[in-house]
Amino acid sequence: ECAVHYGLCRPAIARVSLTDVLRTHLQHPKPLLPRAGMRYGRAATEMATFMTARSLQPGEVLFSPGNAPDELYVIQSGSILCHIEHTLMSPASRRRAAAQVDHSGNSGAPIVNTQHHRLFQYGPGAIIGELDFFLQRPRSFLARADSATDMLVLPRLQYERMAAEAPALTTMLQAAVLRSTSLSAAHALDSLEVNSTM
């Protein structure tokens, strides 16, 4: 919704490619990187060699509060619903949530406080899990498939390999993540403003 609102993509796109994601985030409102190096298709093909494909069924959990932040996700189709519990945003709350994680990687019972609970839906072209990934802190919210979802996954070890072997690709990815994160923050602020006026 946020990307549509800001004119970054057309509404109701069922599936996007990594090329589309790079072009969308790096081309508007003006190129963030020098145009001479902008061959989005080639960059996407090379970047995809560091990523794996993953599919989720409706209701399937991508990650929970306290999980290790070892992956970054690019949604190609479907949607992910992020349940953000504001009581889990403090470092102490994240440590408590991390302590609830069992050895299988599943978190314990979620802490629910409906007064401070927010839902955000991300669809094709969204990059998610980036804040905890780059800050290297335990996951701070629950992410669950809202519909059948296909995504590309960038594991931390592959990201580090890409940084060493293909620094130009890493710069492109970081610029796309920066723009995506900025749009998410703008959307969250808009949502909070709307809710505070009600």
Side-chain angles (χ1 to χ4, degrees):
E1 291 176 42
C2 184
V4 172
H5 176 75
Y6 288 100
L8 296 176
C9 61
R10 295 177 296 267
I13 294 176
R15 184 171 189 83
V16 298
S17 67
L18 186 54
T19 302
D20 297 328
V21 172
L22 293 177
R23 184 179 295 115
T24 298
H25 287 297
L26 300 178
Q27 180 173 303
H28 296 291
K30 66 178 189 173
L32 296 176
L33 299 174
R35 202 174 260 305
M38 288 301 191
R39 291 193 177 94
Y40 299 111
R42 180 175 171 209
T45 299
E46 291 176 21
M47 196 177 290
T49 65
F50 296 95
M51 304 171 119
T52 57
R54 183 177 301 165
S55 296
L56 297 178
Q57 296 304 310
E60 193 173 344
V61 173
L62 179 60
F63 56 79
S64 297
N67 287 157
D70 294 333
E71 298 175 328
L72 177 72
Y73 310 94
V74 179
I75 301 172
Q76 293 186 292
S77 67
S79 63
I80 297 289
L81 195 59
C82 296
H83 304 262
I84 299 173
E85 174 57 56
H86 291 282
T87 59
L88 290 179
M89 298 311 286
S90 73
S93 296
R94 284 195 304 277
R95 281 193 299 277
R96 283 192 301 275
Q100 292 179 359
V101 177
D102 63 26
H103 296 292
S104 67
N106 297 320
S107 66
I111 302 166
V112 177
N113 179 342
T114 56
Q115 291 181 334
H116 294 45
H117 189 85
R118 297 273 189 253
L119 298 175
F120 293 95
Q121 185 177 35
Y122 295 91
I127 300 170
I128 64 169
E130 76 284 3
L131 286 177
D132 295 333
F133 180 85
F134 283 110
L135 294 176
Q136 297 186 31
R137 66 181 188 188
R139 293 291 183 196
S140 55
F141 59 91
L142 172 72
R144 180 187 313 270
D146 194 37
S147 61
T149 303
D150 292 325
M151 65 185 68
L152 292 173
V153 179
L154 180 62
R156 184 174 307 283
L157 291 176
Q158 288 295 88
Y159 173 76
E160 292 169 357
R161 191 178 132 233
M162 181 171 61
E165 295 176 13
L169 289 179
T170 306
T171 300
M172 287 183 81
L173 176 67
Q174 290 170 339
V177 167
L178 176 62
R179 189 145 201 285
S180 174
T181 303
S182 297
L183 287 170
S184 291
H187 177 71
L189 287 173
D190 288 348
S191 174
L192 290 172
E193 284 179 13
V194 167
N195 288 332
S196 69
T197 60
M198 293 181 161

